[in-house]
Amino acid sequence: MDQAENLRNIIKKNSEPKERLARVITVTSGKGGVGKTTVTVNLALQLARLGNRVIILDADFGLANIEVMLGIRPQYTLADVMLKGMPLKDVITAGPEGIGFLSGGSGIRELANMKANQIESFVKHLYELDKMADVVIIDTGAGISDTVMEFVVASSEVLVVATPEPTSITDAYSLLKTLKRKPGFNPNDINIKMIGNRVRKHEEGVELFEKLSVVVKKFLGIDIELIGMISYDEKCQMSVMKQSPVSLEYPTSPSSKAFRDMAMLLSYTDGDINFVKPKGIKTLFSNVIRLRTKN
């Protein structure tokens, strides 16, 4: 029995008939420097203000951008859950306005090396996370590395952040092109939305979306939606320098209002046309491990 099959059996054995699952949203970008982490943190705050219990998972083990943005240095990481069996409640760091923060640390790269007993323990902890959060937002690394793509292809909801810069549009297309070629990718199982960041005016944001969506549909056969646009805002840049989210520092600024509007659009009910059934954080990680064990 291989590791992937072992994990599926563990999940099946521990499943409950009417288990409650968290909604998992993966935020990614084709290149760095487009504001991906800023989007992650501010969406988390705005979703929390709408009454959601939100936890951010920093899956970019090479950098610590979430830590810097929140001004928080976590004592523990996901690796302590995976390798030492620490309870998730002891590993999650409290953030502003009730959001939680879970650092991936070296745990992400250890996924493919876990033993059967570690897998079983880890999956049980993931059930705990599904009960602790209404929404889990995953901040991936930028670009098209294997780790980034594994999280994207394993996700049911993906937000792609892009700016009007030609290189950003090209890199966003490259990310989706790489996604299309990934084993296990099924366009019917994933909902991809684009966020236009640092646009000078509304028309520029619409043009950005149309440029990307048309070529993605024509050459990749992938449909993407526009979830929102964030105007170029000096207050947002100032908040980054202060290591504090703009939604906290300047709650009435244009960018804060844009994040609030996107959070409201992302908050849905079962009757909404764009409803995406939550699959839970354990399902995402089982998919990631399955992908890794195939390679």
Side-chain angles (χ1 to χ4, degrees):
M1 182 184 299
D2 62 19
Q3 186 186 39
E5 185 179 355
N6 188 20
L7 177 61
R8 287 192 293 270
N9 289 338
I10 291 170
I11 291 175
K12 183 177 180 181
K13 180 179 70 175
N14 289 281
S15 291
E16 300 173 7
K18 295 183 179 180
E19 58 184 339
R20 185 192 166 284
L21 302 175
R23 181 183 182 186
V24 182
I25 301 173
T26 299
V27 183
T28 191
S29 63
K31 61 172 288 187
V34 299
K36 173 179 57 62
T37 300
T38 296
V39 168
T40 297
V41 172
N42 284 283
L43 276 182
L45 287 167
Q46 296 292 349
L47 284 167
R49 289 173 180 174
L50 293 173
N52 296 285
R53 297 174 300 164
V54 185
I55 293 176
I56 298 173
L57 169 60
D58 188 352
D60 186 357
F61 59 81
L63 298 171
N65 290 332
I66 297 290
E67 298 177 27
V68 174
M69 184 69 65
L70 292 175
I72 297 173
R73 183 176 291 276
Q75 186 176 0
Y76 302 106
T77 72
L78 190 63
D80 292 296
V81 178
M82 296 167 57
L83 306 179
K84 298 179 182 178
M86 286 187 64
L88 269 169
K89 63 181 179 62
D90 295 335
V91 175
I92 295 173
T93 303
E97 301 199 12
I99 67 172
F101 167 52
L102 178 57
S103 172
S106 63
I108 305 301
R109 65 175 67 147
E110 294 291 340
L111 284 172
N113 302 318
M114 295 170 66
K115 298 178 181 178
N117 63 323
Q118 291 173 323
I119 293 174
E120 183 160 12
S121 175
F122 182 50
V123 170
K124 288 180 179 178
H125 285 302
L126 291 178
Y127 278 99
E128 182 184 346
L129 185 57
D130 271 328
K131 295 175 182 178
M132 293 171 61
D134 298 309
V135 182
V136 177
I137 304 181
I138 298 178
D139 186 50
T140 71
I144 56 175
S145 69
D146 288 341
T147 299
V148 170
M149 298 313 302
E150 285 163 354
F151 271 97
V152 174
V153 76
S155 302
S156 58
E157 286 189 83
V158 175
L159 303 182
V160 178
V161 182
T163 69
E165 297 176 5
T167 54
S168 176
I169 300 172
T170 301
D171 289 335
Y173 176 79
S174 295
L175 182 145
L176 295 173
K177 182 178 180 180
T178 303
L179 175 64
K180 169 80 172 183
R181 295 175 175 176
K182 271 286 182 182
F185 171 72
N186 185 339
N188 298 319
D189 293 338
I190 186 169
N191 186 290
I192 303 174
K193 299 180 176 71
M194 193 205 82
I195 294 176
N197 192 21
R198 300 175 193 154
V199 300
R200 295 285 180 177
K201 52 186 178 179
H202 179 80
E203 291 77 13
E204 186 178 44
V206 172
E207 182 181 0
L208 166 62
F209 172 70
E210 289 179 345
K211 282 181 179 178
L212 183 61
S213 61
V214 168
V215 294
V216 166
K217 177 65 175 178
K218 180 178 180 179
F219 296 107
L220 304 180
I222 298 175
D223 291 308
I224 63 174
E225 305 170 33
L226 178 63
I227 188 65
M229 294 175 283
I230 307 160
S231 61
Y232 183 85
D233 184 2
E234 290 185 357
K235 297 293 187 184
C236 193
Q237 307 308 312
M238 291 166 63
S239 70
V240 172
M241 297 301 294
K242 290 183 177 182
Q243 293 184 245
S244 179
V246 69
S247 294
L248 292 179
E249 287 292 319
Y250 307 102
T252 60
S253 66
S255 53
S256 292
K257 292 178 180 179
F259 286 122
R260 180 197 61 198
D261 291 344
M262 281 187 284
M264 293 179 68
L265 286 173
L266 286 170
S267 297
Y268 54 71
T269 64
D270 288 3
D272 288 341
I273 190 170
N274 293 324
F275 175 71
V276 178
K277 184 178 180 181
K279 296 183 179 180
I281 191 70
K282 67 182 182 306
T283 300
L284 181 136
F285 270 96
S286 69
N287 289 339
V288 171
I289 294 175
R290 186 186 71 247
L291 291 168
R292 290 205 165 191
T293 54
K294 280 186 176 180
N295 295 334

